[in-house]
Amino acid sequence: SKSTTVNALEQENGVLKQERVKFRSYESFKDSFDDYVAFIKNNARYEKVVQKAGNATEYLTELQKAGFATDQHYADKILGIFHSKSFNTLINKALNNIP
């Protein structure tokens, strides 16, 4: 698969440091999402994560515990976005535009 390398802040032992990190790149959002789902479902490291797919808080907490991101506050940050008024407004607009 294609990839790109970018500067990213990674956290190690509570200390943030900038590193050059390789990320996968995709032709579409759908391709990205499909690869993410396959990655999580097919990796034993994330078995508990998959079991919590029905609950956003538990899912993100398990994802953080499994080491998906180096940020110690990853789950809280994503949940903050998930519960934000802006995000929910965008979701409602998208749902209203589905034929």
Side-chain angles (χ1 to χ4, degrees):
S1 67
K2 294 181 183 180
S3 66
T4 187
T5 303
V6 297
N7 289 328
L9 284 176
E10 297 293 332
Q11 194 171 53
E12 187 175 314
N13 299 320
V15 177
L16 289 175
K17 61 181 182 175
Q18 193 170 68
E19 294 182 5
R20 296 286 293 163
V21 181
K22 190 174 176 180
F23 289 93
R24 296 176 184 180
S25 62
Y26 304 92
E27 297 295 323
S28 70
F29 176 77
K30 181 185 181 315
D31 291 347
S32 169
F33 187 76
D34 289 346
D35 188 51
Y36 170 80
V37 170
F39 176 77
I40 297 295
K41 287 176 88 174
N42 297 320
N43 190 326
R45 174 182 185 176
Y46 301 110
E47 185 176 341
K48 287 183 180 179
V49 176
V50 173
Q51 294 171 4
K52 302 297 183 181
N55 181 300
T57 301
E58 291 178 9
Y59 178 88
L60 288 163
T61 300
E62 288 300 328
L63 194 63
Q64 181 177 326
K65 285 181 188 176
F68 184 78
T70 61
D71 188 330
Q72 296 171 340
H73 303 288
Y74 176 81
D76 290 335
K77 289 177 180 178
I78 300 301
L79 285 166
I81 294 167
F82 181 73
H83 293 296
S84 72
K85 183 177 180 180
S86 299
F87 181 76
N88 283 284
T89 299
L90 289 172
I91 294 300
N92 287 329
K93 283 182 182 179
L95 290 174
N96 289 328
N97 288 324
I98 294 175

